Amino acid sequence: NAADRAAIEALWRSALQAAPAREALWLHGDVHARNLLVDAGRISGVIDWGDLCAGDPATDLAGIWMNFHDREARASAQARYETQHRDSDSALWHRARGWAALFAAILIDTGRADHPRHAVMGERTLENLLEG
């Protein structure tokens, strides 16, 4: 709907205007549900390290909106990151939400072309972003 589209566009503009990362860190580069192993509701492993690189940690932090469908779980993940990393600031989270929106669009596009599960993942990511 128009309100959701406007909210995602505002989120995207905010991400583009956010200050860049202060330093490049090691990244997985592809943290989505198909690359996470889960045991009893908890992440137990991360697979497919083919996109390993150095860059903005916001890229991997986008996984918070891609993989946690509960608002409280997303808030807990953010809080845990903030207590453990000195690079956490509002710009980081604006960029992370922007990366999540970009990944959602890519997943929706590829999903509609030939992989319906990707489309579902992308749509859920957008829902999570809209929810907060």
Side-chain angles (χ1 to χ4, degrees):
N1 71 38
D4 290 348
R5 180 180 174 151
I8 294 296
E9 288 175 354
L11 178 152
W12 181 249
R13 282 190 300 278
S14 176
L16 293 176
Q17 293 170 358
R22 290 175 240 156
E23 64 181 317
L25 301 178
W26 285 109
L27 305 174
H28 177 273
D30 197 18
V31 182
H32 60 70
R34 295 187 68 199
N35 287 337
L36 299 177
L37 302 177
V38 177
D39 182 28
R42 298 181 64 107
I43 296 172
S44 60
V46 181
I47 61 172
D48 186 2
W49 290 83
D51 291 328
L52 179 68
C53 61
D56 184 356
T59 307
D60 278 355
L61 291 171
I64 290 172
W65 290 271
M66 296 174 68
N67 298 298
F68 299 121
H69 304 299
D70 178 80
R71 180 185 285 179
E72 289 180 26
R74 291 190 300 272
S76 177
Q78 284 182 266
R80 188 163 194 169
Y81 184 90
E82 288 174 347
T83 62
Q84 296 178 1
H85 295 86
R86 61 181 165 76
D87 68 335
S88 182
D89 60 19
S90 64
L92 171 74
W93 297 112
H94 286 289
R95 293 190 316 273
R97 285 188 292 274
W99 278 108
L102 173 65
F103 294 145
I106 292 168
L107 287 165
I108 290 168
D109 185 55
T110 62
R112 289 182 179 159
D114 64 2
H115 206 301
R117 286 177 61 192
H118 282 185
V120 171
M121 289 167 45
E123 290 164 2
R124 289 191 78 185
T125 300
L126 289 180
E127 291 169 8
N128 294 340
L129 285 165
L130 290 167
E131 184 181 30

